[in-house]
Every structure is written in C-alpha cells, then in structure tokens.
Amino acid sequence: MSPEAALILPLLMLGLACYVYAHAKKLAYGIREHDIVLQSGVFWQREIVQPLRRVQHVELSRGPMDKHFGLVKVKLFSAGTAMSTFVIPGLDKDNGSQIKQYVLDYQDNRAESSNGIESVTGSTGKIPFHVATNPELDPPGAGAQQKDGAD
Amino acid sequence: MSEPKDKPSDLSEFDQGESWHRLSPWSVLHYVGSRHSIFTSTILGALALNLSIDRDLLGFIFGAGCLMLIFITVLAIAEQRFFRYHVGENSIQIRQGVFFKKKLNLKFRRIQNANIVHPFFFRPLGLVTLKLESAGSASKEVYISAVTLDRAQSIRQRIKQRLLIEESLAEEVNENELQEKLMLTRTLPDLVLHGLTNNRAWVIVGGLAGLISTTPISFEDIFAQISYIVGPVFSNQNTAYLLALFLLSLTLTVAVTASLSVIGSIVSYYGFSLFRSDNSLTVHQGLFNKQEVNLRKSRIQSVHIRQDWLDRVLGRVNIIFEQISHNNASGQTAQRRKKLLVPSVRVHEISSLLREFLPIDNPAKLEFIPISKRYFYKLIIVWSVVYILLALALASYRPGWSSFVIVAIPLWFLHMCLLFLTWKRAGLTIQENIVIVRAGIIGIDFVLFPAYKLQDIAHTQSILMKKKNLSNVLFSTASRRVSVPYLPTSVVRNAIDHCLFCVESSARSWM
C-alpha cells in the first residue's frame, strides 16, 4: 500500500463514519393524529408526510442486524408510485409494534365511523387491517387484493 | 369444443351460475398475435446475426422462424384450450394456464377499465377482445378474446351496472348516467399534427441515430474517405460538399422519422372520438385494431396538459387523463396503457375537457407563484461547469480542436436561454383545492390534480437552500409525482398544510 493510500483510506473511512452518524442523528419521525412525518438527510434535508388515510398496508420488517440490536423497521405502503414506500428504520421493537397498531387502529376507527356500505364476501382477512366494510377503502394494489385474486 | 352460447345482451344468462365458458377457437389468433413481438424480434435478431456472418444461412433463419411460429401456435392452441371463464354475480372468474394453472377471481368493483378491442384479424369475423384491467398490478390483466361484440358489451354493461348499484347506495344516481354523448372527434389533419409534434423526441432520436450511423467512427476517416472519392470532382468545394451531404442526410432521416411518427399517430388514433357520460369517458380509436377505451372519472388521478414546442407554434396541446400507474418491470407499457390521451386539442377546447374531471378552466389564465431566480443561477453554474469540463477534455484530447470549442459557445448560450425559459415556466398554484403545477421550456405543460388525491407529500431542501429560505416540494399521486423546485419555504409549508388538510378532512376516496 502506497503511503498516500495509507493516509487517504482511514480519512475516507472516518468521513464516511461521520456522515453515517450525522445521517442517523438527523433521522426523526413524528406521529400526528392523521399523519406520520419522517425527516432525514444531512445535506439535502427531506421531510415526507404520509397521511394515514392513504396507507394501504403496514409492515414490520427486521434484518439480522436489526434482530441483533432488537430493532425493527416500520414500512407504510401507499398507492403513490414506487419508491414512495415510507420507512422508519431503527425503532425499538415495542415502539415499532405500537406505531403499527396506531396505523391499524386509525384505519379501523375510520371504517367504523364511515357508513359501511356493504360487507365484502371475498375478504380473506389475512392482512390485519384490510378494511373490509368499505369498498372505497380497499387497497387497489398490493396485498389484500392479490390474495383475493389468487383465491 | 363447446362454443360459448352467444345469446346477446341477455344478462340473466350470467346469473345461472355454474356455466363456465370456453373461448372460441378463433382466440388462438389472439394468443399468436400477443406473441408476435417475440417472433419478429427473433427473426430480426437472427437476420442481423446472419447478415453479419454469412449470407448462406438464410435457409436456417427461415427454418428457425417457422419453428418459432409453430411453437407459438401450439402454445396458443394449448392456451385457448385451457382457458375458461365464468361471469358471476359480482365477479368474473378465470381459469387459465398451460403449465401453471391459474385461477383468478376478478371483482367487478376492482376492475379499473373494461375495454373492447377490435384487432384487425378479428374484424372480418365480427369478433372482439374484451380487455379487463384491474386496479391492481398490470399482470392481472385479463383478455377474453374472440367473443362477439354483443357479448363483450353485455359483460361490460353488467360490470358498469354493478358498479353503479354499489355507488348508488352512497349517492343518488341519475337515470342517464349510463348514457354517453359524443363530445369530441379528431380529424385526420389533427392526427397528422399530433404525429408531427408528439413524437418530436423520436424525430430527434432518429435524426441522431441517422447522424451516428452515417458517420464512421472518426471524423478524420470520413474526411479522408470522402475527399478521396469526390476529391477529383470537387477539389475546392470539398467542405461545402461534405456539409451539403451531411445536411441532406439529416433532413432525410428527420423526414423519414417524422412521417413514420405521423403514420404511427394515424394508426393508433384513427377515428378518435370521445364520448362522455356523467361518470365516465369512452374513447373509440385505432385504424387496424379498433379500441374502445373506457375510463371512470373517479379513477382519474391527474390530468397532464402537454405541449411541445411545435404544439405551441401550432396552438395545440395534448391532454392526458392519468390513472394509477405501477412502476413494475413492464413499467413503460403498463403506464402507457393506463392513460387516456386526447391528441391535438385546440386551446378553446381545453376548458370543456378539463371540466370533465376538475371544476377549473384553462390553467393558462391562472396566476402562478414563480420559483426563485436562484434556481436559474444554479442551473447556469451546473451546466457551465459541465461545458467547461467537456471543452477542456476535448481540447486536451486533440489540441487542433480548440477551434471547435468556439462553436460550443453559441451552443452554451442557446442552452442558457432554454434554462432561462425552464426557470420562467416553473410555477405552482392551488386553486379551490386543486393543485396546478406549471412546467416546460417553450411549450407549457400543466399537471393538475385535486389535493385530496395526494398519496404523500414531501418537502426537501439543501443546506444552501435553507439559508435562503427556499424549498422543493414533491407531490405524489397514484399516477405520478410532481415536484416544484426553489419555492419560498413559507409557500411550501402552506401548500403542504393545505393539501394535508384536504386529504385528511375529506372523506372522499382517491379511487
């Protein structure tokens, strides 16, 4: 290894570590009555608001690293075109489930308060918060619908 | 082979439940037709390979083509034999698949579009293909091919009626909601105009391709070659001749691609007529494959008014009603299918078309919030750096070319003018809960959608922008994402709050 490389490499790694730290530090989420907000980004700062009314399904996911540290990711899916999956990484396991439950409850409450139009025969109920009583609310894309179709 | 009983428009027939229908043997044509691209691409590929290697292999290519055709046909016959469908009370069930059996239960209310397609090979037979698009993934499209028009229409009618009954529980239904009135037609000259303007990108791409293919790898080579060939004749007008040759080939390729694009436009939009009813739009179009495209208004997510520079010169726009799009592997084709394009709309027709979807007139008359000048400066800096780097690279590569760099300066200036226009066009306004984004360079584009159809909304800014209180805003609807750069942060914050209020306070479904 040339002396320049020996100098530059650790510097680069240090820089990367600093960036990763700053990035993690900047990550923040907020839960409001009707939406969830996610802030991220060091140089380009981004704030996404996901109205809960538009969430189609919610997912808890954890990789091996997450598992080791007792963490969990919450993913919210909406019909916005690809990429717009809303991910909150690095949550406590309990906290993650609470957020998931909050989203589910929000959907359920809304289903109760709206005038249920007609009960749906084909709903499998495999996706826990797939709202079966209001046809308008059925997710058009992934998840529940595909289950219906495959049956 | 049991033919489906084609008793037309007898809806009660479907209610009898257990009857599973087969497709007519003619539907083999549909399955062969749907694979023609594989066939032609194999042939073309083989041909290209062959020409470059050995001309004697023509027989082999022919044989391979025949084999391919036989294979496709056998597959198509198998597919036809394994296909069953059943029209039930609330859904259509499909059983299909040769190697992998597939059962599909397509709920009527999940069906986004029910289109009747008249492929040219079915037209002499008086048969059509009913194409059902679900609101879900593009792969869940169902083709019921080679049925009579009456039957296709009765199935479609049934789907519509079911939907209406469901909706009528929530709202009152007019009797004449199902009645369609002719709203707009497009004549042949309109389509020619559309072909000229709409595929402008292709014209340019074609021109470039022609340029590249007529240009050997090195400019020096072509100079050497051509001066060798024509040198004795045009000893002194060497360069002029070369220039003329170049211009001629360029105009030729542009002319050819333009006429191809005109032909393409006529083929796909021939006899374009738009019908409206209170809750849907229907379009009839197509020269060889006549299509009947049906779009429910509630499923429209956004409207895109598109105007290219040539459109602007001619005073036309294209209006595109966009539905949910899925960016999957077959993203391109899937997206194209989910749109309804009205070609070559005159300016005075814009309002009436827009009013089908949104309570708003021609957005050109509205006042927009302009974006910051800093956006223009940023573009200038970024692009100038690119130009300088390119010029430096070129100059160091071949010192003699430094004179060529002089040519780049007018080019750079032109580019800067276009960037100025880009900056000038960008704008945002929110009127009566409708978000309208303006963009474009010479032609002016608008994207309009009601705020309650938003899926999510994002606010982004770089550190530098933060200092100047500027922000980008990114709207995501189910059909597209639109961003507006370099707006004042307060404007963006207000816009986001307002849109969120629209989404969260309105019980209206975005579907």
Side-chain angles (χ1 to χ4, degrees), chain A residues 26 32-36 39 42-56 78-86 106 110 115 117-118 120-123 130 132 134-142 144-151, chain B residues 90 103-107 109-110 134-137 139-140 166 169-171 324-327 335 451-464 466 474 476-481 493 496-497 500 502-511:
Chain A
K26 275 281 178 191
R32 304 198 293 180
E33 192 182 347
H34 297 291
D35 46 44
I36 297 189
Q39 287 179 339
V42 181
F43 301 111
W44 284 273
Q45 294 165 358
R46 190 182 172 87
E47 185 180 306
I48 313 178
V49 189
Q50 175 65 64
L52 292 176
R53 205 178 262 280
R54 296 287 175 265
V55 173
Q56 292 192 343
S78 70
T81 33
M83 298 260 302
S84 69
T85 319
F86 188 99
Y106 182 87
R110 193 163 49 107
N115 51 338
I117 289 174
E118 185 189 328
V120 177
T121 47
S123 163
H130 171 200
N134 189 344
E136 283 184 346
L137 307 174
D138 277 349
Q145 194 214 6
Q146 266 162 12
K147 292 237 160 67
D148 279 1
D151 283 344
Chain B
N90 291 311
K103 283 184 190 172
L104 213 78
N105 188 355
L106 197 61
K107 298 249 157 54
R109 63 185 166 77
R110 293 268 170 73
S134 83
S137 58
S139 62
K140 272 186 72 187
E166 256 179 34
L169 291 172
E171 313 160 22
I324 308 165
S325 71
H326 295 270
N327 280 355
Q335 277 185 13
Y452 77 86
K453 295 227 176 197
L454 274 172
Q455 296 294 327
D456 60 62
I457 189 166
H459 166 276
T460 59
Q461 60 185 179
S462 67
I463 291 179
L464 290 175
K466 201 171 187 176
L474 176 65
S476 305
T477 68
S479 59
R480 64 157 58 232
R481 325 183 85 195
R493 291 272 172 217
I496 290 178
D497 281 346
L500 282 176
C502 289
V503 173
E504 290 162 3
S505 67
S506 139
R508 288 179 79 177
S509 159
W510 59 275
M511 276 280 283

Side-chain angles (χ1 to χ4, degrees), chain B residues 193-194 196-197 307-316:
Chain B
L193 281 188
H194 176 72
L196 283 176
T197 59
Q307 187 182 46
D308 290 327
W309 62 270
L310 210 50
D311 278 319
R312 179 131 201 245
V313 174
L314 300 164
R316 301 291 179 109

